[in-house]
Amino acid sequence: MQPQEVGEFFAEIKRALDNNWSDEELKSLAKYTVPDVIAGSHGWLLRGDLLTVWGRWFIESLVDLAPFELDPDLTIGHLHVPILAYINAVSPQVPLDERKKYARVLTRFAWQLVSARRRKKRSAISLALREELWALGQPMPRCYLCGFGFGDEAKDKFLGASRTSPPTPLLVDFTRPRGVRSAQLCVEVDHVLPVAEGGETSVENLRLACGWCNSVKNRYTNIYDAMPWSVGIFEHPALGPITQPQPLWVLRTVATRRRCEAPEGCTSRIDEAELFAGPRNQGGALTPVNVAVYCEQHDPWRLDRWVGPKRLFSDVDA
């Protein structure tokens, strides 16, 4: 770490925050590259998700997709026209065949968004499909997003042998409070690529997920879909005041990293064990740049993670 680089970066951030509605200060800040120490070891996730957001914004700045979503008579050819016109206008010096090539790339991306929005309705998950997904999860079916292993009660309800939901536990993980409601412990079927983004209801695009992860993931696809600030603060019985992270921060980090990140090394993976979100810097809050993924054995909060649900804010049981 270069202290001077970090110090200058934060001095610039302070100037921008003190003049948050000044284009001059924000333009000055925008010239900086975020130091690696600030982005953290998951900087690839933060940068990758941000680029997908910018890409979507850019596409919809070229052409409003709303008319294409509502009018089935509009085709990909109609969509290609304004996109090619834009590229022709801003890059007339580029050879025409290359301009057409780039326009086709953007058009295909935009048309995928249109097609997804046109078929938002989810297909029913049949019992046969449920049984197939359960069989594929053997020998121990787990939530593909966090590694939570499903019990017999969850299995019976999922496969239609019972209508009874799993009992809620006395204690829940304060970073991922699964079990505040019994539905969060049930087995659900998740579309890896959301229906709203074009995902199909097929075995290839379906996975088993716990009710908590499925609810938090919803149709979201990146970490910036959550509010950029924490949920709030609660009083931990042993750790004192704790900043409660956005559930999507926890879910997205654990589900993309998919392995224990203990510094001493660990072979635990999400397909064989439940993984947890904990701090990389023990004195810091669980923000996206400080979240690390741990197995139960290496979890720095393994003695303090579990708390009574009533200690948590009512709005974190999403």
Side-chain angles (χ1 to χ4, degrees):
M1 181 180 78
Q2 298 295 328
Q4 180 180 355
E5 179 186 18
V6 174
E8 291 175 352
F9 181 72
F10 273 94
E12 199 67 38
I13 287 180
K14 184 180 185 306
R15 280 192 289 272
L17 290 176
D18 289 345
N19 300 276
N20 197 35
W21 298 98
S22 165
D23 65 340
E24 181 179 343
E25 297 296 341
L26 290 174
K27 286 177 181 177
S28 178
L29 176 61
K31 296 176 183 178
Y32 276 74
T33 299
V34 179
D36 289 340
V37 68
I38 294 176
S41 62
H42 294 155
W44 51 268
L45 170 59
L46 303 181
R47 295 187 184 98
D49 276 359
L50 181 58
L51 291 176
T52 65
V53 172
W54 282 3
R56 291 169 186 269
W57 286 348
F58 176 70
I59 286 292
E60 297 201 53
S61 74
L62 302 185
V63 54
D64 191 337
L65 301 182
F68 293 86
E69 177 183 347
L70 298 176
D71 187 351
D73 291 332
L74 292 177
T75 68
I76 190 171
H78 296 102
L79 184 59
H80 182 69
V81 172
I83 292 178
L84 178 59
Y86 171 82
I87 292 180
N88 286 337
V90 300
S91 303
Q93 74 282 2
V94 175
L96 180 59
D97 62 321
E98 293 185 14
R99 278 180 270 150
K100 289 181 176 179
K101 175 184 175 181
Y102 301 143
R104 285 194 296 270
V105 172
L106 296 182
T107 301
R108 285 195 293 269
F109 183 90
W111 187 251
Q112 181 177 340
L113 297 179
V114 171
S115 300
R117 294 175 186 181
R118 285 182 176 181
R119 57 174 191 267
K120 289 180 180 178
K121 186 176 181 181
R122 291 172 177 262
S123 301
I125 308 297
S126 66
L127 178 58
L129 189 50
R130 290 170 181 262
E131 291 174 340
E132 183 175 359
L133 291 169
W134 186 263
L136 289 172
Q138 297 301 321
M140 179 60 191
R142 296 179 178 276
C143 172
Y144 87 105
L145 294 167
C146 71
F148 175 69
F150 299 115
D152 291 337
E153 298 95 339
K155 170 188 175 183
D156 290 343
K157 183 171 184 181
F158 181 66
L159 298 179
S162 170
R163 294 185 178 182
T164 304
S165 296
T168 56
L170 295 177
L171 302 175
V172 298
D173 174 1
F174 69 83
T175 73
R176 182 175 54 213
R178 180 198 301 108
V180 172
R181 298 195 302 267
S182 60
Q184 297 169 344
L185 301 165
C186 290
V187 188
E188 297 184 359
V189 177
D190 180 57
H191 290 75
V192 179
L193 180 64
V195 173
E197 299 293 333
E200 298 182 352
T201 303
S202 63
V203 171
E204 294 75 19
N205 190 47
L206 298 177
R207 299 290 186 277
L208 301 180
C210 69
W212 189 89
C213 284
N214 198 29
S215 174
V216 171
K217 179 176 178 284
N218 201 330
R219 64 177 296 276
Y220 303 134
T221 57
N222 74 76
I223 206 164
Y224 298 102
D225 287 332
M227 291 292 185
W229 47 82
S230 64
V231 170
I233 300 173
F234 81 98
E235 285 288 337
H236 191 283
L239 301 175
I242 290 287
T243 296
Q244 190 72 11
Q246 284 285 349
L248 190 60
W249 296 349
V250 172
L251 173 64
R252 182 80 172 133
T253 304
V254 172
T256 54
R257 194 64 182 97
R258 306 186 71 78
R259 60 159 297 168
C260 177
E261 297 180 302
E264 57 269 40
C266 182
T267 60
S268 293
R269 300 292 191 275
I270 206 168
D271 57 354
E272 62 187 24
E274 183 173 0
L275 298 180
F276 304 90
R280 194 173 301 277
N281 170 26
Q282 299 300 311
L286 218 60
T287 65
V289 298
N290 193 40
V291 175
V293 182
Y294 300 102
C295 67
E296 184 176 15
Q297 178 184 351
H298 294 110
D299 179 13
W301 280 342
R302 61 184 176 276
L303 300 178
D304 303 308
R305 180 172 297 280
W306 308 99
V307 301
K310 291 184 178 179
R311 288 186 176 272
L312 301 172
F313 287 118
S314 59
D315 61 348
V316 300
D317 63 352

